[in-house]
Amino acid sequence: MTTNKRLRIAIIGAGIGGLTLSAALGFLNDEQDLEINIYEASSHISEIGAGINFWPRAWNVLCSIGLEKKLLRILPQAPDDSIRLVFEVRKGDQPEGIFIQNMTSKGGSVRFHRAELQQVLLDSLSGYLHLSHRLISYEEIGEEVIIQFEGGKTATCDLLVGMDGIKSTVRKYFLSKEGLSDSPSVHPTWSGDIAYRGLIPIEQLEAVFPGHRAITTPLLYTGKTKHVITYPISSDKLINFVGLTAELSKVGTDYDGPTAEPCSQDDLLSIFHCWEEEVHAMLRCIKNPIKWVVRSVQPMNRFSRGRVILAGDAAHAMVPHQGAGAGRAVEDAYILACLISDKLCTREVIPRVSEIYNTICCPAANLVAEKSRKSGRLCQLHAPGLEDVREGDSDVPLEKLEGVYQQFSSELEWVWKESAEVDRARALAMLRSLEVVDATHGL
């Protein structure tokens, strides 16, 4: 089955996921027979954000689409397959914190400043980036999708990919067309978590707390209903700080207020008042902390239909407790790019490609979202045998804490024991099976 017309791909959203899909399509499409347009609602691509984490399987994907050399320029050292420290885990919600264990894994993890990663992806852009294009609706008509933007602008494509984030407009219309206008997945809900984020200049922390372990070591400070994660980024010039609190009674509710807003150092010191001095020292170094309400999307049973596909946060925005949300968006982009770039992908086959993508990516992403939720509760000591523990308790048996983090480690094993290449091979095998079916029907 052939076509003389270029396949037209419309990507809604120029975040990490959308930019990765663009870069992947440009690298993998040997025939150069794709017309790629990326539509972004904002008038500019803002260089904001803090640290972002990738596990070995997501790092390998980035390498597979030709980004390794560019990314190595913003890393202090090249990742490898050696056993590396993921986190030194401490119980930090007491005046004298205690060491629990070192979490290690094959390959460790790769951590970037989000703005630096974003720039690499922009430098690798394939296709055309259209700013100030806010989608308001779409309509699938025959073998085309008609896209309507604010201000009367329109576009036409053969495949629409919604990577427009947690507040996705594409998801809203997708669910409506599935007859699910009242689905709890239409709008994101509060996870019960709040994250307090900031960047700490390493020189400043060294000045106020010489020899602070966060300068060289990724750390996870655990405590009842709260935990703190820190790690160096930007070639070890900055420390990414995230302090998380949980209010379990609010899980799945609406949050009546801004998603992100400034807060003060005094706010942070009050929230973590009984924590060890190592944590307080970092809090005193955060000049402009941000309070971020952690929201997520209720899991959906389907990410695609016909010529419309949801990916990244638009499909499965999840809590950050496994540091896997961005990596999952990268995997979505990779699987989809491999399918689109295959010689068997034509305009007529797009609905089948959409179904293959859904079969591979929907259950995988929903599993990661569930593991992330479980991991957050473990990090905040919501675990069997610890029901009576309160913040600041210093007499929690070490073996119980070790048991919690052994369970946490087991929830994370997939990030280094499994490979996205397995899913890629499955997806392409399914596409090949369609070729066999078509050949049989032609007899």
Side-chain angles (χ1 to χ4, degrees), residues 346-385:
T346 63
R347 181 169 291 100
E348 295 81 2
V349 173
I350 283 291
R352 298 182 183 181
V353 166
S354 174
E355 196 64 30
I356 294 170
Y357 166 85
N358 183 68
T359 299
I360 298 295
C361 292
C362 183
N366 285 342
L367 180 60
V368 176
E370 176 59 17
K371 284 181 173 291
S372 296
R373 186 193 65 79
K374 288 181 179 179
S375 294
R377 301 303 163 238
L378 292 171
C379 288
Q380 294 169 351
L381 304 184
H382 291 287

Side-chain angles (χ1 to χ4, degrees), residues 8 54 71 91 106 122 133 138 155 172 182 184 200 223 277 310 320 332 355 371 423 428 432 439:
R8 300 165 297 173
F54 288 98
L71 292 173
K91 187 172 185 294
K106 182 180 179 181
L122 282 169
H133 276 65
Y138 70 81
K172 173 184 174 182
D182 296 329
I200 301 169
E277 179 56 27
L310 295 170
D332 290 348
E355 196 64 30
K371 284 181 173 291
D423 286 346
L428 293 178
R432 297 283 179 270

Side-chain angles (χ1 to χ4, degrees), residues 56-211:
R57 57 184 288 152
W59 167 255
N60 291 335
V61 167
L62 295 172
C63 294
S64 296
I65 59 174
L67 298 178
E68 183 175 12
K69 288 185 178 179
K70 291 180 180 178
L71 292 173
L72 287 177
R73 296 172 192 158
I74 59 175
L75 290 174
Q77 62 183 28
D80 57 39
D81 290 334
S82 62
I83 301 299
R84 296 171 57 196
L85 180 67
V86 175
F87 288 117
E88 177 184 321
V89 183
R90 297 176 58 79
K91 187 172 185 294
D93 66 337
Q94 54 194 71
E96 295 292 333
I98 60 169
F99 171 82
I100 298 175
Q101 68 176 47
N102 283 331
M103 289 180 57
T104 61
S105 72
K106 182 180 179 181
S109 67
V110 184
R111 286 138 176 172
F112 300 102
H113 190 298
R114 187 184 187 281
E116 294 173 347
L117 171 63
Q118 181 178 275
Q119 189 57 56
V120 168
L121 293 172
L122 282 169
D123 291 344
S124 305
L125 187 76
S126 178
Y128 303 93
L129 175 61
H130 307 269
L131 300 175
S132 300
H133 276 65
R134 184 178 298 279
L135 181 143
I136 58 173
S137 67
Y138 70 81
E139 191 67 38
E140 188 175 343
I141 302 175
E143 293 189 350
E144 294 184 328
V145 183
I146 311 300
I147 313 168
Q148 182 76 41
F149 300 99
E150 273 186 0
K153 301 173 186 174
T154 62
T156 306
C157 64
D158 303 303
L159 175 64
L160 173 66
V161 184
M163 299 193 90
D164 50 338
I166 189 170
K167 298 179 182 179
S168 172
T169 302
V170 179
R171 183 179 68 246
K172 173 184 174 182
Y173 279 92
F174 177 85
L175 289 170
S176 175
K177 293 174 189 299
E178 289 285 299
L180 298 170
S181 298
D182 296 329
S183 167
S185 303
V186 172
H187 302 290
T189 56
W190 188 16
S191 67
D193 295 316
I194 292 180
Y196 298 88
R197 309 194 67 163
L199 294 175
I200 301 169
I202 283 180
E203 288 185 358
Q204 182 181 354
L205 182 59
E206 179 67 46
V208 302
F209 195 118

Side-chain angles (χ1 to χ4, degrees), residues 205 209 212 241 268-270 272-285:
L205 182 59
F209 195 118
H212 196 296
F241 177 99
L268 293 184
L269 289 167
S270 175
F272 294 94
H273 70 278
C274 67
W275 287 56
E276 65 177 308
E277 179 56 27
E278 287 187 15
V279 174
H280 289 171
M282 289 188 286
L283 297 179
R284 288 194 292 268
C285 291

Side-chain angles (χ1 to χ4, degrees), residues 392-408:
D393 287 354
S394 58
D395 57 352
V396 183
L398 181 58
E399 60 269 21
K400 286 191 175 183
L401 297 171
E402 290 172 337
V404 168
Y405 277 91
Q406 286 168 5
Q407 186 178 348
F408 181 43

